[in-house]
Amino acid sequence: MAHILIVDDEINIRKVVREYAEFEGYEVTEAENGMEAVNLCHDNDYDLIIMDVMMPRLDGYSACKEIHKTKNIPVIMLSARGEEYDKLFGFEIGIDDYVVKPFSPKELMARVKVVLKRNTAVKEEEVVPDKFEFEGLEVDIAGREVYVNGKKASMTPKEYDLLFYLVKNKNIALSRDRLLEEVWGYDFFGDDRTVDTHIKMLRNSLGEYRKYIVTLRGMGYKFEAD
């Protein structure tokens, strides 16, 4: 049984999410602010966190960054703000999904299932000692490390996943839908902008070697290398 931590300063939101989560068979713990969530995660292990952005004492973004210093727990962020900048910032700090309020509890539970399924698949995936070199770009899939001109790159978990998938399928045209399905683990609930946003972040992380990620107009992307 998956254990979910619900973090929101609005008691009614916590109540609704708890009811739907428990109906799906999940164990649920609640926190009313980011600081309480950080303390709970320090002492306990959770399979997923559903967290609001705007909260007293410690906001959701800050709490997420603090938790990820010691625990690799997937996070679905809730927010009344749906601007691209807010989503981009969330993805940059390593969240797994972003849901805009007001939301459908049923859709939220569908997203929960997808994130949990994908996280379980990643844990169970057999480690393959694959290493690739493209000029000054070194990609170590088994070690989950990337070096740009000898310097270790600092990227979000999704940037690593996206780059590794692109590299393993180098010179193959990949649609946005396929990238959503393979990297994020879903297609119906995905958004093309999610892929584009992460490609933009990944290119920034790769610096001069961004040239290897080629945009296929109206289709998707390709990691083009000899």
Side-chain angles (χ1 to χ4, degrees), residues 20-174:
Y20 275 82
E22 289 182 338
F23 180 79
E24 294 291 339
Y26 302 125
E27 182 180 353
V28 176
T29 297
E30 295 182 28
E32 62 181 21
N33 59 65
M35 188 62 70
E36 186 179 354
V38 171
N39 292 333
L40 283 170
C41 288
H42 181 269
D43 298 327
N44 303 278
D45 290 321
Y46 300 98
D47 298 293
L48 175 70
I49 302 172
I50 300 174
M51 181 146 51
D52 186 30
V53 174
M54 301 301 294
M55 294 183 292
R57 296 193 65 191
L58 191 66
D59 66 272
Y61 288 141
S62 299
C64 182
K65 287 191 286 186
E66 194 64 31
I67 291 168
H68 280 168
K69 288 180 180 178
T70 57
K71 299 282 182 74
N72 186 22
I73 305 173
V75 176
I76 295 178
M77 199 67 81
L78 305 178
S79 177
R81 298 171 60 91
E83 287 81 1
E84 183 180 10
Y85 169 82
D86 296 291
K87 294 182 179 181
L88 177 59
F89 186 76
F91 290 132
E92 284 178 342
I93 64 171
I95 70 168
D96 292 76
D97 206 346
Y98 191 104
V99 178
V100 179
K101 294 179 177 179
F103 57 85
S104 159
K106 290 183 179 179
E107 180 181 334
L108 177 60
M109 288 302 107
R111 289 174 181 265
V112 165
K113 288 180 181 178
V114 166
V115 173
L116 286 172
K117 182 179 179 180
R118 182 182 176 281
N119 195 55
T120 300
V122 169
K123 289 180 179 178
E124 295 177 348
E125 189 178 65
E126 182 180 356
V127 176
V128 180
D130 288 336
K131 290 186 179 181
F132 298 86
E133 290 188 20
F134 309 97
E135 296 182 82
L137 175 63
E138 300 175 46
V139 181
D140 180 358
I141 294 177
R144 286 187 68 82
E145 293 180 335
V146 176
Y147 291 86
V148 177
N149 293 327
K151 184 179 180 180
K152 187 175 180 180
S154 177
M155 302 191 297
T156 67
K158 277 294 186 298
E159 283 182 84
Y160 283 114
D161 292 340
L162 181 56
L163 176 61
F164 295 160
Y165 188 76
L166 287 168
V167 168
K168 285 190 289 186
N169 293 277
K170 65 177 182 176
N171 297 320
I172 297 175
L174 301 168

Side-chain angles (χ1 to χ4, degrees), residues 180-194:
L180 274 172
E181 186 173 356
E182 296 296 334
V183 178
W184 277 262
Y186 59 85
D187 47 13
F188 178 77
F189 292 105
D191 187 322
D192 285 353
R193 289 172 297 180
T194 298

